[in-house]
């Protein structure tokens, strides 16, 4: 800790000279204890937080999930609406790939349902379940197609209809199939996933649903395989060389302004590659072992998005950080402390420069104007010796343009907010369908979302609006 303080003390004055900017005033504005049946079985570090208007009152609720043991929903005032609890259920066992509970209005009734995992108390089996938002009543359930001790991956996607979504399910490890369910959890099809010459799956750790063809329906990204809306193979992104092992995740956006069409950033332990989807051409690659990658508007003087990536921990708590431009050139490189899970966040609501939430600190712009660990509200003592960090979710949960941080601290659920005064606030993105959809699939850490510009006219909420 002394070494870390010295590092910050030496670095911060240089940063403030080179990059003058007002630091945000991040404060805990709400906190309430978690009312759990058994204090010994708390959600723990490997929980996931998602959000949705589960009762249709226009206010967001907080959904916490930690596997088949517990799913619970809280109002912003701390009232617990409901909880599904089974002490014999399985908790998240993998901090890097926790199970995900999508929160989405599946039947278009104005109230979000929760799609979660439960362990039935009577038969002891694990199920996918659709839970009624206001009451916690289980509406539908379907058995897992796979029962191994691995995290499951599940998303909501509009692949067959622009108004009625499908639910897709697979599992982490070496998955060779993807199950599609309708909104009533009827099994529609089982999609065989591509494998390599050795029979090993090319699927990655996550599933993403993105409309890359512009027809209003989603394509599916699973590792380096891209699937059409009907489950057929759209394209298999080729590895740049034989040393590549697998793709952890993909980020899709219009990265290169000189080329028509979208690009996909694919990365993992073998490196990063950027591919143009229209030309089906690899634009550039590198061999950095990047485990934390985000895309955002990190420099007000550079037009267009930049890529920030961080390598794995070197065993001494240090990582290499890189900023790449759209052409793959390193704009900036430095060494720093471990960031933990990384995501972009708009703290001040001005829709100008994206901030970066990196583990137990907020990196602004990202020039290391730091909310130091001693004052960071989500840090727990044991975090210092761990590679990962409890997930702090990011969402404009109050609808005031600024994004809040929501996380567990000790036995409390904490909401932190930038309380510094600001002008030129952009419109709230809380009801933007793409913004909600990104959160519903709990992929907010990775999928790029461009905020509406400051002073842009706010669009009224419309749950049936196309993406």
């Amino acid at each position: 800790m002394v070494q870390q303080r010295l590092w910050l003390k030496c670095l911060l004055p240089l940063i403030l000279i080179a990059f003058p900017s007002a630091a945000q005033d991040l404060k805990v504005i709400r906190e309430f204890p978690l009312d759990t049946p058994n204090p010994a079985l708390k959600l723990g570090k490997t929980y996931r937080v998602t959000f949705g208007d589960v009762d249709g009152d226009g206010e967001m609720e907080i959904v916490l999930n930690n596997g088949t043991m517990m799913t619970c929903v809280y109002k912003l005032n701390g009232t617990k609406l409901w909880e599904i609890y089974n002490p014999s259920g399985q908790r998240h066992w993998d901090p890097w790939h926790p199970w995900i509970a999508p929160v989405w209005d599946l039947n278009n009734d104005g109230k979000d349902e929760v799609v979660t995992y439960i362990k039935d108390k009577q038969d002891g089996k694990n199920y996918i379940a659709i839970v009624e938002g206001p009451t916690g009543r289980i509406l539908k359930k379907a058995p897992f197609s796979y029962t191994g001790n691995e995290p499951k991956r599940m998303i909501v996607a509009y692949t067959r209809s622009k108004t009625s979504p499908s639910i897709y399910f697979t599992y982490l490890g070496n998955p060779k199939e993807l199950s599609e369910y309708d909104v009533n959890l009827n099994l529609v099809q089982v999609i065989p996933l591509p494998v390599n010459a050795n029979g090993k799956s090319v699927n990655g750790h996550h599933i993403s649903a993105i409309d890359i063809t512009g027809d209003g329906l989603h394509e599916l990204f699973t590792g380096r395989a891209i699937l059409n809306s009907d489950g057929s193979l759209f394209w298999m992104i080729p590895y740049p060389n034989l040393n590549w092992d697998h793709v952890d995740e993909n980020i899709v956006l219009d990265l290169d302004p000189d080329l028509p069409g979208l690009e996909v950033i694919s990365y993992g332990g073998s490196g990063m590659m950027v591919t143009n989807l229209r030309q089906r051409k690899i634009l550039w690659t590198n061999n950095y072992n990047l485990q934390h990658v985000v895309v955002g508007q990190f420099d007000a003087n550079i037009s267009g998005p930049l890529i920030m990536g961080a390598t794995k921990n070197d065993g001494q708590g240090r990582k290499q950080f890189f900023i790449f431009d759209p052409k793959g050139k390193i704009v900036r490189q430095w060494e720093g402390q471990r960031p933990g899970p990384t995501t972009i966040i708009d703290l001040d609501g001005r829709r100008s420069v994206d901030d970066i939430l990196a583990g137990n600190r907020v990196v602004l712009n990202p020039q290391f104007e730091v909310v130091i660990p001693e004052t960071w509200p989500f840090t727990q003592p044991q975090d210092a010796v761990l590679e990962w960090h409890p997930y702090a979710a990011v969402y404009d949960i109050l609808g005031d343009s600024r994004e809040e941080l929501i996380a567990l601290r000790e036995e409390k659920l904490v909401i932190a907010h930038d309380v510094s005064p600001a002008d030129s606030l952009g419109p709230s993105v809380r009801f933007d369908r793409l913004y909600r959809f990104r959160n519903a699939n709990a992929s907010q850490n990775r999928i790029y979302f461009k905020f509406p510009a400051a002073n842009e006219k706010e669009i009224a909420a419309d749950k049936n609006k196309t993406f």
Side-chain angles (χ1 to χ4, degrees):
M1 184 62 72
V2 174
Q3 182 181 5
Q4 184 173 343
R5 288 173 179 161
L6 290 175
W7 176 79
L8 289 173
K9 185 177 180 180
C10 296
L11 182 61
L12 194 55
L14 297 176
I15 290 168
L16 293 175
I17 294 173
F19 304 97
S21 176
Q24 274 80 5
D25 190 5
L26 189 67
K27 301 292 185 184
V28 173
I29 58 171
R30 298 188 189 182
E31 62 179 1
F32 48 84
L34 291 177
D35 177 23
T36 56
N38 187 340
L41 297 173
K42 294 292 184 182
L43 288 169
K45 291 179 176 296
T46 51
Y47 68 92
R48 227 3 172 171
V49 179
T50 46
F51 309 94
D53 183 5
V54 302
D55 54 11
D57 66 352
E59 183 181 82
M60 292 291 127
E61 280 76 45
I62 302 173
V63 180
L64 296 103
N65 167 260
N66 77 333
T68 61
M69 179 179 291
M70 184 184 300
T71 302
C72 52
V73 175
Y74 284 89
K75 301 283 290 182
L76 293 183
N77 62 5
T79 302
K80 183 169 67 176
L81 286 183
W82 54 264
E83 179 176 68
I84 297 174
Y85 172 72
N86 188 342
S88 64
Q90 179 184 344
R91 287 171 60 164
H92 291 318
W93 67 276
D94 183 348
W96 287 110
H97 312 106
W99 299 350
I100 293 168
V103 183
W104 193 250
D105 186 4
L106 298 175
N107 57 11
N108 296 312
D109 67 348
K111 302 175 184 179
D112 290 331
E113 285 75 46
V114 179
V115 188
T116 188
Y117 308 101
I118 63 170
K119 189 178 185 70
D120 191 279
K121 294 182 179 181
Q122 294 181 347
D123 62 20
K125 296 181 179 179
N126 294 329
Y127 291 88
I128 302 171
I130 296 177
V131 183
E132 190 174 52
T135 66
R137 180 170 63 96
I138 296 175
L139 301 176
K140 303 286 182 179
K141 66 179 183 179
F144 281 152
S145 58
Y146 175 80
T147 58
N149 184 31
E150 295 190 16
K152 283 75 178 172
R153 318 308 306 162
M154 186 161 58
I155 62 168
V156 173
Y158 288 82
T159 53
R160 298 180 179 271
S161 165
K162 296 181 182 180
T163 57
S164 182
S166 296
I167 298 169
Y168 288 88
F169 165 83
T170 187
Y171 59 93
L172 181 66
N174 188 27
K176 298 181 180 180
E177 63 183 33
L178 180 65
S179 299
E180 178 189 356
Y181 298 86
D182 64 16
V183 292
N184 293 312
L185 287 186
N186 297 311
L187 182 63
V188 176
Q189 65 171 333
V190 177
I191 305 168
L193 294 175
V195 296
N196 60 22
N198 298 322
K200 184 177 180 181
S201 170
V202 299
N203 186 37
H205 291 174
H206 297 271
I207 314 170
S208 299
I210 307 167
D211 179 13
I212 62 175
T213 61
D215 63 355
L217 297 176
H218 291 132
E219 283 70 43
L220 301 174
F221 281 75
T222 65
R224 63 188 180 102
I226 308 174
L227 305 180
N228 289 308
S229 297
D230 61 1
S232 61
L233 184 64
F234 175 87
W235 184 41
M236 178 76 72
I237 303 174
Y239 283 150
N241 57 63
L242 297 177
N243 295 325
W244 271 65
D245 177 40
H246 69 280
V247 170
D248 280 337
E249 296 185 85
N250 296 289
I251 305 174
V252 179
L253 73 157
D254 186 5
L255 180 68
D256 194 326
D258 298 330
L259 289 176
L262 300 171
E263 280 75 44
V264 53
I265 304 169
S266 306
Y267 65 93
S270 303
M272 175 189 290
M273 60 178 171
V274 174
T275 309
N276 181 267
L277 292 173
R278 177 174 293 187
Q279 296 183 351
R280 300 195 179 189
K281 175 184 177 182
I282 296 178
L283 303 182
W284 53 270
T285 68
N286 62 48
N287 60 359
Y288 298 109
N289 182 358
L290 300 173
Q291 297 297 308
H292 305 278
V293 177
V294 290
V295 177
Q297 182 71 49
F298 301 139
D299 192 327
N301 299 315
I302 298 178
S303 176
L306 299 174
I307 306 169
M308 193 205 89
T311 62
K312 291 186 69 174
N313 195 318
D314 66 357
Q316 303 297 320
R318 297 185 300 267
K319 289 176 176 285
Q320 292 293 321
F321 292 80
F322 300 89
I323 301 289
F324 303 97
D325 70 10
K327 303 292 186 181
K329 178 183 177 181
I330 297 177
V331 177
R332 187 164 178 253
Q333 177 180 354
W334 71 97
E335 182 181 278
Q337 301 294 318
R338 62 170 185 85
T342 305
T343 187
I344 61 172
I345 176 173
D346 186 9
L347 273 175
D348 59 17
R350 291 172 178 167
R351 310 286 182 257
S352 55
V353 179
D354 294 316
D355 306 322
I356 297 174
L357 168 66
N360 61 357
R361 65 193 60 172
V362 173
V363 183
L364 307 176
N365 298 343
Q367 275 72 37
F368 272 109
E369 290 181 5
V370 179
V371 178
I372 60 174
E374 286 83 351
T375 62
W376 182 235
F378 306 141
T379 300
Q380 298 178 7
Q382 60 266 39
D383 293 342
V385 298
L386 296 175
E387 168 70 12
W388 54 277
H389 178 272
Y391 281 92
V394 174
Y395 198 75
D396 182 16
I397 195 169
L398 301 180
D400 58 358
S401 297
R402 309 175 194 232
E403 287 192 302
E404 285 77 40
L405 301 176
I406 300 91
L408 295 181
R409 182 179 66 174
E410 298 174 345
E411 309 301 331
K412 296 179 180 179
L413 189 63
V414 176
I415 301 175
H417 179 73
D418 176 17
V419 299
S420 59
D423 52 7
S424 301
L425 291 176
S428 172
V429 293
R430 185 175 68 173
F431 293 110
D432 184 291
R433 196 173 192 224
L434 179 59
Y435 183 78
R436 292 189 302 108
F437 186 78
R438 179 189 67 170
N439 175 78
N441 286 330
S443 50
Q444 61 203 37
N445 288 31
R446 300 295 181 258
I447 290 181
Y448 178 72
F449 176 82
K450 185 173 178 58
F451 288 107
N455 301 321
E456 182 177 314
K457 184 178 179 180
E458 186 169 0
I459 301 174
D462 182 0
K463 287 204 170 187
N464 293 316
K465 180 185 173 186
T466 57
F467 291 92

